[in-house]
């Protein structure tokens, strides 16, 4: 299945859908400042994904949709380690198969305090649902920071797992996604087509 095939029958945004159960925010670890870095490249319906992690506990630090754009992140300090990233790869495979609606991976995204606050808020958006930049800004207690939220969203280093694809424009429009709007639409379509009713 490709990104194009996943978007052929894209579902409309359902902003008026019943409220789902609340999702707890994910707690982030602090990125390590030294030590060996690990990576792997895994296939997906959206193309190859670059996974990066810290050696200690294989804490996920990156998930990029365009590996070639981030080749600089895997220089001589990095070691390809499929076994260390196997759990992340397995959870992603289950997600794309419509069999997983939440990830249970340890995460350590590198960013400013504000960016990490925004990214943590993104993890509370339920599977198959969307939120606007303004709603995220209000959720973090900074209602006038919608534009800054958009910039932080664009800098999210762990795509899909930290679901920046679930953030949309105030009018429900598909806007801004580092992996490209077709991929964003594909991810939302996947989630809406496999979403279970609340309480099911």
């Amino acid at each position: 299945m490709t990104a194009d095939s996943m978007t052929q029958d894209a579902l409309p945004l359902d902003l008026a859908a019943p409220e789902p159960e609340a999702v707890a925010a994910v707690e982030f670890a602090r990125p390590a400042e030294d030590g060996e870095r690990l990576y792997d490249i895994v296939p997906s319906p959206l193309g190859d994904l670059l996974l990066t992690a810290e050696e200690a506990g294989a804490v996920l630090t990156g998930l990029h949709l365009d590996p070639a754009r981030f080749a600089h992140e895997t220089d001589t300090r990095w070691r390809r380690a499929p076994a260390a990233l196997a759990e992340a790869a397995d959870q992603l495979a289950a997600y794309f198969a419509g069999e997983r609606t939440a990830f249970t991976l340890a995460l350590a995204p590198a960013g400013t305090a504000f960016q990490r606050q925004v990214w943590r808020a993104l993890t509370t958006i339920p599977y198959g649902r969307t939120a606007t930049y303004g709603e995220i800004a209000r959720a973090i207690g900074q209602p006038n920071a919608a534009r800054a939220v958009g910039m932080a969203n664009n800098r999210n280093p762990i795509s899909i797992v930290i679901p920046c694809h679930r953030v949309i424009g105030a009018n429900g429009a598909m806007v801004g996604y580092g992996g490209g709007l077709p991929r964003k639409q594909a991810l939302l379509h996947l989630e809406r087509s496999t979403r279970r009713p609340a309480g099911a």
Side-chain angles (χ1 to χ4, degrees):
M1 186 184 298
T2 65
D4 289 339
S5 65
M6 290 174 71
T7 59
Q8 285 179 354
D9 301 308
L11 303 179
L13 297 175
D14 56 345
L15 299 179
E19 286 296 318
E21 295 181 4
V23 177
V26 172
E27 295 295 336
F28 296 149
R30 284 287 175 188
E33 296 183 0
D34 52 21
E36 188 176 35
R37 299 292 193 267
L38 310 177
Y39 80 97
D40 195 20
I41 296 175
V42 299
S44 84
L46 302 183
D48 287 345
L49 305 177
L50 170 64
L51 307 180
T52 63
E54 295 177 352
E55 182 180 24
V59 177
L60 198 65
T61 58
L63 193 167
H64 304 294
L65 293 166
D66 293 303
R69 288 177 52 200
F70 296 91
H72 64 281
E73 293 201 9
T74 54
D75 58 21
T76 56
R77 297 171 301 167
W78 292 77
R79 175 170 61 87
R80 188 162 189 174
L85 285 157
E87 179 61 26
D90 288 347
Q91 290 195 26
L92 284 163
Y95 168 83
F96 282 113
E99 299 168 354
R100 173 175 284 275
T101 61
F103 295 94
T104 56
L105 302 168
L107 308 177
T112 66
F114 177 80
Q115 288 172 336
R116 285 166 61 91
Q117 184 181 27
V118 170
W119 300 335
R120 187 169 179 268
L122 300 185
T123 67
T124 69
I125 306 174
Y127 179 91
R129 303 287 175 160
T130 54
T132 67
Y133 296 104
E135 287 171 335
I136 296 298
R138 290 191 291 275
I140 64 173
Q142 300 193 44
N144 297 320
R147 183 179 294 274
V149 165
M151 294 176 65
N153 201 63
N154 190 52
R155 293 293 186 92
N156 172 25
I158 309 179
S159 297
I160 303 176
V161 178
I162 298 177
C164 55
H165 61 278
R166 295 177 191 159
V167 185
I168 58 174
N171 61 354
M174 295 279 190
V175 293
Y177 188 60
L181 292 182
R183 285 172 170 158
K184 179 171 184 169
Q185 189 173 19
L187 290 168
L188 291 176
H189 174 69
L190 167 68
E191 294 183 3
R192 288 209 171 88
S193 63
T194 56
R195 184 179 64 202
R196 299 176 181 83

